[in-house]
Amino acid sequence: MNALRMSDMQEQRFDTAALAARARRQSAVPLRRAGALTELAIVGVAACLAGKPDCSTVVLWGSRTGARAAGIRVVRDVVIAREAPFPFDFLATQPILAAIPLQQSFPCIASVLYQPWTGDVELHWQRMRTLAAMFLRAGRHARALCGQVEPGTDEHIGRWQVLEN
C-alpha cells in the first residue's frame, strides 16, 4: 500500500474586510449571509486547490469556537436591534451549510464533513488525518483537505493541510 503524502500546514490570517473580499472573489456563488466561518472555509480550500489538478476531493474541517461565536453574534445583533431575527440568520450560523458554496465553487469537491472540536487540538487533528487516510486508502477520494478555522473579533485564522495518495 502506498504511503500518503501530507503537505505542510498552511496558515492564513485575515482581518474581517480582507477575508470577506477574498471569499467573495473565490466563490462561484453569492455569499449573501455567509459569516467568517464559511468565508474561512472557502479561502482555505481555494488555497489548497490552487494549481492542483481536478480529482475527487473530500473536505474535513472544523472549528473550536466558530459556530458558537456565529450564534452569539446573531443573538447579540438581535438584542442591539431589538428586532426578531430572520430564520435565515440562525440558519446561516450552521457550519455544514458551507458545503453548498464549497461544492458549487470547486466542482472537484465530492464530500464536505464538518466536525465540531472540543478539547485537545492535536488529538482532533490526528482524528481528522486518520479519517482522511481511511477515505483515501478506500479509494473514495484521491485527495483530502483538512482544516481548522477560527473566526475572531479582529483576526480570523485558518489552518489547512492536504493529504493525497
Side-chain angles (χ1 to χ4, degrees):
M1 189 171 291
N2 294 338
L4 297 176
R5 293 185 314 267
M6 193 177 334
S7 73
D8 291 335
M9 188 74 65
Q10 297 180 39
E11 184 170 290
Q12 301 172 306
R13 293 177 178 269
F14 301 96
D15 64 30
T16 300
L19 175 61
R22 181 168 289 178
R24 277 151 181 75
R25 275 195 316 273
Q26 293 177 325
S27 177
V29 297
L31 298 175
R32 290 184 193 94
R33 295 185 184 275
L37 199 63
T38 297
E39 292 170 344
L40 280 165
I42 289 168
V43 300
V45 166
C48 289
L49 294 177
K52 299 245 186 214
D54 280 349
C55 62
S56 180
T57 302
V58 60
V59 178
L60 305 167
W61 69 292
S63 179
R64 293 179 315 138
T65 60
R68 183 175 8 146
I72 290 169
R73 187 185 72 243
V74 169
V75 171
R76 184 194 65 223
D77 292 349
V78 166
V79 169
I80 291 170
R82 295 181 188 247
E83 296 176 3
F86 291 105
F88 293 115
D89 293 331
F90 283 111
L91 195 57
T93 67
Q94 302 305 305
I96 196 57
L97 290 182
I100 297 166
L102 284 171
Q103 289 182 308
Q104 290 175 340
S105 299
F106 308 100
C108 65
I109 295 177
S111 301
V112 179
L113 293 149
Y114 175 81
Q115 302 175 357
W117 290 28
T118 56
D120 187 339
V121 171
E122 279 308 311
L123 177 62
H124 193 80
W125 269 103
Q126 187 57 42
R127 278 187 288 196
M128 193 162 42
R129 289 180 191 121
T130 300
L131 182 57
M134 290 171 58
F135 276 129
L136 297 175
R137 288 192 177 116
R140 292 186 64 188
H141 304 288
R143 175 175 47 220
L145 311 181
C146 298
Q148 174 188 5
V149 298
E150 299 301 341
T153 305
D154 299 321
E155 183 177 52
H156 310 286
I157 302 169
R159 291 179 185 87
W160 292 87
Q161 193 166 44
V162 180
L163 285 77
E164 296 175 290
N165 281 321

